[in-house]
Amino acid sequence: MQFLVSKRLFIGVATVATLALTGCAMPGSSQGSDPGAEAPKTVKVVVHDSFQFSAEQKAEFEKESGFQVEIITNGDGGALANKLVLTKDSPLGDVAYGIDNTFASRAVAEDVFASYASPNETELGKSLALPGTDSLTAVDYGDVCLNLDPQWFADNNVAEPTGLEDLVKPQYKDLTVVTNAATSSPGLSFLFATIGKFGSDGYLDYWAQLEANGLKVVDGWEDAYYVDFSGTGDGDRPISLSYASSPAFTVTEDGAQTTTKAMLDTCFRQVEYAGVLANAANPQGGQAFIDYLLKDSFQSTIADAMYMYPASDSVALPDAWAQFAPVPSAPISLDPAEIATNRDAWIKAWSAAVIG
């Protein structure tokens, strides 16, 4: 995601044995089919554009693991997933971070990732696992939600909407801006939210009602949130697609309140995963990097650096998050297998109906 604010299993005995052996090897030791070959000293990490890895974290990882790290950036989450699938026989690196639950099932079905279970995974992380595979580890999560400008509603004496159904009512005509589901990760999540709410037989009817009520669709999150949204700029629309965490970034100078709020009944949960790439030159380094991503020293920086919630039970959220960006208690969800089967068809049908 940008901004701010956007795994079971069959494990063969041989695979388990391989993991156990690689887990005991030391960086620089021999591995693989050639006992005389020197193991790679560098771990190549493939990430999306929003990944943040400080110089201090890089130094910490390299000191603890004995590996040098190289970060390779490859577009947003969707672009990253596509590249990983296309290059699975000759992977771009050793480990990938940033593929989310809207695209993960495709990569898993294409055998992009190798099995790995990190010893640092917490119960919260396990609860966020992608069903049906042990090749992806949850690192963080966030909720794509509609956000409101409460001052606009107060000034115009209009009651704030509370759910998706409200957005098609006459009093909310020309008030909502969202992002393109075919070009934006948050947009795709919002499309999934409408499918989860109204079903695959009903979501297009809902979108037709949204359009008839003056819905605006823009290509990217920044256009929606910073250009068209009245809550963060000079826009004229008080309802914008963003994240549950966004209100933590619109807190007043005195820290007493926030100028925006998330509609928590409209949220769709994104979970971001990391996985060791199948055919990686340095799978041991990839495993070490995943272990590092789950350490509290990294998890504690996720909220401020990447605007997502950490997948750790033991990390406290920043004060503004705890006060103004509560985790939605009942986000809308879809079965990942259903997403894998229907994703392309849903996007195609949505594009034909909404974009034309």
Side-chain angles (χ1 to χ4, degrees):
M1 65 183 276
Q2 11 178 357
F3 174 74
L4 181 301
V5 359
S6 196
K7 316 179 208 179
R8 185 145 281 254
L9 27 153
F10 170 72
I11 306 175
V13 173
T15 302
V16 174
T18 300
L19 288 173
L21 288 170
T22 56
C24 294
M26 293 297 291
S29 65
S30 297
Q31 62 178 338
S33 58
D34 183 356
E38 185 177 2
K41 302 291 179 53
T42 297
V43 55
K44 297 182 179 179
V45 183
V46 187
V47 300
H48 60 41
D49 291 340
S50 298
F51 181 66
Q52 300 294 317
F53 196 56
S54 69
E56 292 77 12
Q57 290 170 328
K58 180 176 185 294
E60 182 181 52
F61 169 75
E62 293 182 342
K63 180 179 180 181
E64 292 182 355
S65 70
F67 293 107
Q68 301 296 304
V69 63
E70 178 184 349
I71 303 296
I72 304 169
T73 302
N74 268 280
D76 64 16
L80 172 63
N82 290 330
K83 289 182 180 178
L84 293 177
V85 169
L86 293 172
T87 60
K88 64 178 182 178
D89 295 328
S90 182
L92 299 169
D94 303 302
V95 58
Y97 158 81
I99 190 168
D100 70 26
N101 53 317
T102 65
F103 288 98
S105 52
R106 180 189 175 202
V108 169
E110 295 280 351
D111 296 324
V112 168
F113 299 102
S115 297
Y116 180 61
S118 173
N120 294 343
E121 192 174 28
T122 67
E123 291 303 314
L124 174 59
K126 294 176 182 177
S127 73
L128 296 169
L130 188 72
T133 178
D134 67 344
S135 63
L136 288 172
T137 302
V139 175
D140 52 58
Y141 67 102
D143 293 276
V144 174
C145 314
L146 291 166
N147 277 217
L148 300 178
D149 172 6
Q151 190 62 52
W152 185 97
F153 288 96
D155 291 344
N156 291 275
N157 196 30
V158 176
E160 297 176 6
T162 61
L164 294 174
E165 297 92 338
D166 285 345
L167 303 184
V168 300
K169 295 178 179 177
Q171 61 264 44
Y172 304 111
K173 186 174 179 59
D174 298 332
L175 300 187
T176 305
V177 57
V178 301
T179 56
N180 189 324
T183 62
S184 159
S185 176
L188 183 58
S189 289
F190 183 64
L191 171 59
F192 289 161
T194 63
I195 296 172
K197 180 70 176 180
F198 301 104
S200 57
D201 295 331
Y203 78 101
L204 289 179
D205 288 340
Y206 174 72
W207 278 89
Q209 292 177 64
L210 284 175
E211 284 197 284
N213 209 37
L215 175 74
K216 185 174 183 177
V217 180
V218 298
D219 281 344
W221 171 83
E222 289 189 349
D223 287 337
Y225 194 74
Y226 286 124
V227 177
D228 291 293
F229 186 36
S230 62
T232 54
D234 297 327
D236 60 1
R237 296 189 177 239
I239 307 171
S240 175
L241 187 64
S242 196
Y243 295 87
S245 56
S246 299
F249 294 86
T250 57
V251 176
T252 56
E253 289 188 4
D254 61 5
Q257 57 186 331
T258 181
T259 60
T260 63
K261 64 188 296 186
M263 296 174 62
L264 299 183
D265 288 341
T266 69
C267 304
F268 184 85
R269 180 151 295 172
Q270 286 182 314
V271 182
E272 293 189 307
Y273 300 101
V276 177
L277 293 170
N279 304 310
N282 186 3
Q284 183 185 354
Q287 294 171 6
F289 194 79
I290 291 175
D291 294 346
Y292 182 78
L293 292 179
L294 299 185
K295 288 187 61 175
D296 283 357
S297 59
F298 183 83
Q299 288 281 310
S300 63
T301 68
I302 286 175
D304 283 336
M306 297 193 290
Y307 315 106
M308 300 289 275
Y309 301 99
S312 170
D313 300 303
S314 57
V315 171
L317 288 170
D319 290 343
W321 284 58
Q323 186 171 359
F324 301 116
V327 177
S329 59
I332 300 170
S333 63
L334 282 175
D335 184 337
E338 188 179 6
I339 292 176
T341 301
N342 298 296
R343 180 195 305 106
D344 293 346
W346 284 337
I347 295 174
K348 184 177 180 180
W350 177 88
S351 297
V354 177
I355 303 300

